[in-house]
């Protein structure tokens, strides 16, 4: 028996809604061609950002950055700017849309909530995880002794000579 799939329209939301105070902007999904272009342009930047590294903004000049945000936000970019949204906020919305397009809604939401701070997107490092878990006991645990039967002390020169015959 062949699998029967539901219509994609019933399963898939083709837009991203971002709140700005009392106003919500609905960003439409880009065309397939634009989506592939965005994917190509941003694959390195998205990996860096998701890993907690700052994106090298010198990768794109001002015009290229505006073009990328226009691709990500579509007609909503002009709407935002005509509504008086500042460039930094429009840029944050555009980068959020970029993460939505490239990595999905969960990553986009995480980026949105960080306010653009890449260090807040990185998974915690081992030291941070230990500090959060309150593992003071782990830090004070005694190390296990040698199981080879040796004391772990270095032999002295005279001890080495004494063992020769």
């Amino acid at each position: 028996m062949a699998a029967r799939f539901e219509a994609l329209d019933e399963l898939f939301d083709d837009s991203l809604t971002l709140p700005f105070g009392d106003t919500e902007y609905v960003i439409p999904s880009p065309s397939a061609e634009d989506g592939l272009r965005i994917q190509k342009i941003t694959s390195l930047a998205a990996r860096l950002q998701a890993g907690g590294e700052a994106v090298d903004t010198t990768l794109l000049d001002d015009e290229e950055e505006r073009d990328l945000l226009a691709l990500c936000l579509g007609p909503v970019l002009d709407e935002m700017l005509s509504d008086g949204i500042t460039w930094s906020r429009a840029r944050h919305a555009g980068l959020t849309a970029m993460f939505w397009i490239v990595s999905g809604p969960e990553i986009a939401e995480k980026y949105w909530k960080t306010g653009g701070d890449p260090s807040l997107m990185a998974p915690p490092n081992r030291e941070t995880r230990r500090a959060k878990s309150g593992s003071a006991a782990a830090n004070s645990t005694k190390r296990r002794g040698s199981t080879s039967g040796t004391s772990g002390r270095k032999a002295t020169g005279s001890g080495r000579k004494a063992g020769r015959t």
Side-chain angles (χ1 to χ4, degrees), residues 94-112:
L95 291 175
T96 300
M98 179 198 74
F99 281 112
W100 169 63
I101 293 162
V102 173
S103 302
E106 292 83 18
I107 299 296
E109 180 180 19
K110 190 173 182 180
Y111 180 78
W112 178 260

Side-chain angles (χ1 to χ4, degrees), residues 49-78:
Q49 190 80 19
E53 295 181 44
V55 175
D56 182 359
T57 55
T58 61
L59 294 175
L60 300 175
D61 64 26
D62 290 345
E63 186 177 330
E64 291 169 327
E65 182 180 19
R66 185 170 176 28
D67 290 345
L68 174 61
L69 296 181
L71 279 174
C72 293
L73 293 172
V76 175
L77 177 59
D78 289 333

Side-chain angles (χ1 to χ4, degrees), residues 22-42:
D22 294 335
T23 305
E24 289 187 334
Y25 292 97
V26 180
I27 292 97
S29 182
S31 69
E33 183 179 336
D34 286 347
L36 290 171
R37 189 168 166 218
I38 293 165
Q39 179 76 35
K40 184 178 179 183
I41 292 169
T42 61

Side-chain angles (χ1 to χ4, degrees), residues 136-157:
N139 294 335
S140 64
T141 303
K142 291 183 181 180
R143 292 187 177 176
R144 213 171 86 164
S146 172
T147 57
S148 66
T150 62
S151 67
R153 288 186 264 162
K154 288 185 175 183
T156 61

